[in-house]
Amino acid sequence: MRLLERMRKDWFMVGIVLAIAGAKLEPSIGVNGGPLKPEITVSYIAVATIFFNSGLSLKTEELTSALVHLKLHLFIQIFTLAFFPATIWLFLQLLSITPINEWLLKGLQTVGCMPPPVSSAVILTKAVGGNEGIVITPLLLLLFLGSSSSVPFTSIFSQLFMTVVVPLIIGQIVRRYIKDWLERKKPPFGAISSSVLLMIIYTTFCDTFSNPNIDLDKFSLVLILFIIFSIQLSFMLLTFIFSTRNNSGFTPADTVAIIFCSTHKSLTLGIPMLKIVFAGHEHLSLISVPLLIYHPAQILLGSVLVPTIKSWMVSRQKGVKLTRPTA
C-alpha cells in the first residue's frame, strides 16, 4: 500500500522510466515520420502547450511584488545565469580529457544553462518557510553549445519565438480574462505540463533507440550520476556560505530561497528547449540524460535536507529576535 502511495506521489518519475522503456521496446512509433508525427506534435504543439500552460499559471501580480526583494533576486540570477554555467564550463575542460562520453558532458553543460524550476525550488523553499526567488530564463545554450547545434540560429530563434514566447504571452492574456475562474477551480497546471513533457521524452528516446550507431556505456553514466550529486551538494554549500556571511544582508529565509533556487534546474523548460536547439540531432537523447538525472537528484537531495535547513533557519531567526534591542 505504501509503495502504491509513493508511486502515486512520484508518478512523474515513474512516467519518465516508463517513457524511456516504451521507447526502447517500440521506437518506431515516436520517431520522426512515425505514427505520432513528433516533428509536428512535439516540436510545435507539445512545446507550445507547455508554455501556454505556463502563461496561464504565471501570477504576474506576484512577480511584481517580488521585485521588492531586488538584492535577493539579483544574487540568484547572477549565480544561476553566470556563475553556475561558467563554473560547469571550466570543470568540463578538465573532464574532456577523461573517457566520459562527450555527449553526456555536453548534456552536463546544458544543465548548467538551465534556470530553476518554478515547481520544486519553490515547493522546497515553502516547505522550509523561506521566500521565493524568481529567475529570468536565458538562452545560454546558444552561447555555450551553439556550435553543437545542427539548426541555424535564425531558425532556432524563430521557433523559440513561436513555440515559447507567443504561447506564454497568449496564456498571460487569457489569464487576465479568466483569472477568477482559475483561482476558484485551480486547474492542475503542473500535471498537464508534466504529462506533455513525458511525450517529449518518449519521442526523444525513440529517435535514440532507432539509431544503431548510438551507444551509452555504463561507466560514463555512473560517473555522470556521481558528478551531478557532487555538483548539487557543492553549490548548495557554496550558496549557503555566500548568503550567511556577516555583511551579506540576507535573512535566514532569504538564504533558504538562495540555496534551492540557485541550484535547482528546470526539466520542464529544459527538455523542450533542447528539442528546439538540437532538433534532428542524433545525440539529442544523450545530451538530455544529465538533465533527466539532475531533476530527481535535486528533489531527493532537497527532501533529505529540508528538515536540517528548517531547523537551522528557525534557530537563526530565534537568535535574531533575541539580539534585537528592546524599546
Side-chain angles (χ1 to χ4, degrees):
M1 201 67 181
R2 281 187 176 181
L3 179 61
L4 288 175
E5 288 178 7
R6 187 69 186 177
M7 289 178 68
R8 193 180 296 113
K9 184 180 178 181
D10 296 327
W11 68 271
F12 181 60
M13 303 296 181
V14 176
I16 291 177
V17 174
L18 292 177
I20 296 174
K24 175 69 174 176
L25 290 172
E26 195 54 62
S28 60
I29 296 175
V31 296
N32 283 343
L36 287 182
K37 300 291 182 186
E39 61 274 18
I40 298 172
T41 57
V42 170
S43 297
Y44 293 95
I45 299 173
V47 175
T49 299
I50 286 176
F51 287 98
F52 172 75
N53 189 52
S54 296
L56 274 180
S57 61
L58 193 63
K59 297 181 180 180
T60 317
E61 59 274 14
E62 290 187 4
L63 295 181
T64 306
S65 64
L67 290 176
V68 175
H69 302 288
L70 186 60
K71 184 178 179 181
L72 169 67
H73 300 307
L74 191 61
F75 180 94
I76 292 172
Q77 290 185 30
I78 291 173
F79 190 94
T80 306
L81 310 183
F83 182 82
F84 201 126
T87 303
I88 293 296
W89 183 82
L90 289 171
F91 184 45
L92 291 182
Q93 304 313 300
L94 296 174
L95 291 179
S96 62
I97 62 174
T98 67
I100 299 175
N101 185 291
E102 65 168 311
W103 297 104
L104 288 180
L105 293 180
K106 289 182 185 295
L108 205 54
Q109 182 66 71
T110 68
V111 170
C113 294
M114 294 300 154
V118 174
S119 54
S120 64
V122 171
I123 289 169
L124 289 167
T125 300
K126 284 185 173 180
V128 177
N131 301 323
E132 295 180 22
I134 297 166
V135 180
I136 300 170
T137 303
L139 296 179
L140 289 172
L141 288 172
L142 297 179
L143 175 63
F144 286 98
L145 292 165
S147 60
S148 299
S149 174
S150 57
V151 183
F153 281 5
T154 52
S155 177
I156 290 171
F157 281 119
S158 62
Q159 191 170 349
L160 282 172
F161 182 76
M162 293 305 298
T163 59
V164 176
V165 179
V166 171
L168 195 65
I169 293 172
I170 293 174
Q172 279 283 279
I173 294 171
V174 172
R175 178 181 171 81
R176 295 181 70 177
Y177 292 98
I178 61 171
K179 180 183 171 183
D180 292 338
W181 181 85
L182 291 172
E183 294 294 332
R184 190 169 61 253
K185 295 293 184 179
K186 299 188 184 303
F189 293 116
I192 293 169
S193 290
S194 295
S195 299
V196 176
L197 192 58
L198 288 177
M199 179 183 174
I200 298 176
I201 292 170
Y202 169 72
T203 57
T204 299
F205 278 86
C206 280
D207 285 334
T208 298
F209 294 127
S210 64
N211 187 341
N213 297 323
I214 294 178
D215 182 40
L216 176 59
D217 60 291
K218 292 183 177 63
F219 172 75
S220 292
L221 196 59
V222 170
L223 278 182
I224 288 293
L225 184 65
F226 174 76
I227 289 168
I228 285 172
F229 272 96
S230 300
I231 287 172
Q232 284 195 47
L233 284 171
S234 299
F235 279 3
M236 289 179 88
L237 179 61
L238 197 59
T239 53
F240 178 80
I241 293 170
F242 280 154
S243 59
T244 53
R245 289 178 304 166
N246 291 331
N247 59 346
S248 70
F250 293 121
T251 66
D254 290 339
T255 296
V256 172
I258 288 170
I259 289 172
F260 288 126
C261 294
S262 298
T263 59
H264 280 208
K265 296 294 180 177
S266 175
L267 184 67
T268 306
L269 173 70
I271 294 298
M273 190 72 75
L274 292 178
K275 195 77 174 177
I276 294 171
V277 176
F278 297 99
H281 201 296
E282 65 173 353
H283 293 101
L284 173 59
S285 61
L286 294 187
I287 295 172
S288 306
V289 165
L291 189 56
L292 289 171
I293 294 173
Y294 198 98
H295 180 75
Q298 69 190 9
I299 293 174
L300 176 63
L301 276 178
S303 301
V304 169
L305 292 174
V306 158
T308 303
I309 294 175
K310 184 173 185 177
S311 176
W312 169 84
M313 191 188 75
V314 170
S315 64
R316 281 295 295 268
Q317 286 177 331
K318 286 180 179 177
V320 169
K321 288 179 182 178
L322 289 172
T323 55
R324 281 179 182 169
T326 54

